[in-house]
Amino acid sequence: STRVRSSAASDVYKRQIITFARKLGQTFAASGTMMLLDWAGYNSTASIQAAGVGDKILTAATLVPAIAYSVTFLIFAFWYPLNKKRLEKLHEDLKEVRKEEFEEIEEIEQKANA
């Protein structure tokens, strides 16, 4: 019973953290976009942009994702490799957690029906 209550509280905290992380990510994305436009020399009040602004924006639009994907690849390749052995271990751990939770729920239902 305590675990079920603490699990519900844990879910609330997880949702709060995810919401905060999303807001933080949106802030960084908006700020980064503004910095890249400033770097490119974009002028929002000009009807015609200076020469080279479009090329810099295109460079940023292709270079930033390439760098982000490369960093993501390096993280998953070296820091958190998901090879067959690790996946099997994760599956076994997950089965064990689910089994424990199922047994706990069964126990609670039996006490409620008694």
Side-chain angles (χ1 to χ4, degrees):
S1 174
T2 305
R3 183 168 178 173
V4 172
R5 274 188 261 132
S6 66
S7 177
S10 176
D11 288 346
V12 171
Y13 292 128
K14 287 176 190 175
R15 283 191 210 109
Q16 290 174 344
I17 290 170
I18 290 169
T19 301
F20 178 73
R22 282 183 26 206
K23 288 182 180 185
L24 199 61
Q26 290 168 345
T27 301
F28 283 132
S31 299
T33 301
M34 293 300 162
M35 286 190 288
L36 287 173
L37 288 174
D38 184 49
W39 167 80
Y42 180 78
N43 184 352
S44 62
T45 59
S47 58
I48 298 177
Q49 297 299 318
V53 172
D55 290 336
K56 286 184 178 180
I57 291 174
L58 181 62
T59 299
T62 55
L63 195 58
V64 170
I67 291 170
Y69 286 131
S70 298
V71 169
T72 303
F73 169 76
L74 292 172
I75 288 171
F76 281 113
F78 298 107
W79 186 53
Y80 194 76
L82 291 175
N83 54 28
K84 188 173 182 173
K85 183 179 177 182
R86 186 162 188 162
L87 282 174
E88 287 174 357
K89 172 83 168 96
L90 289 172
H91 285 294
E92 290 301 317
D93 292 346
L94 187 58
K95 282 180 186 177
E96 186 176 317
V97 168
R98 287 180 178 165
K99 181 181 176 185
E100 289 172 5
E101 288 177 352
F102 179 76
E103 288 171 354
E104 226 174 272
I105 291 170
E106 239 180 18
E107 183 180 314
I108 292 169
E109 288 176 350
Q110 286 176 356
K111 285 180 182 179
N113 293 333

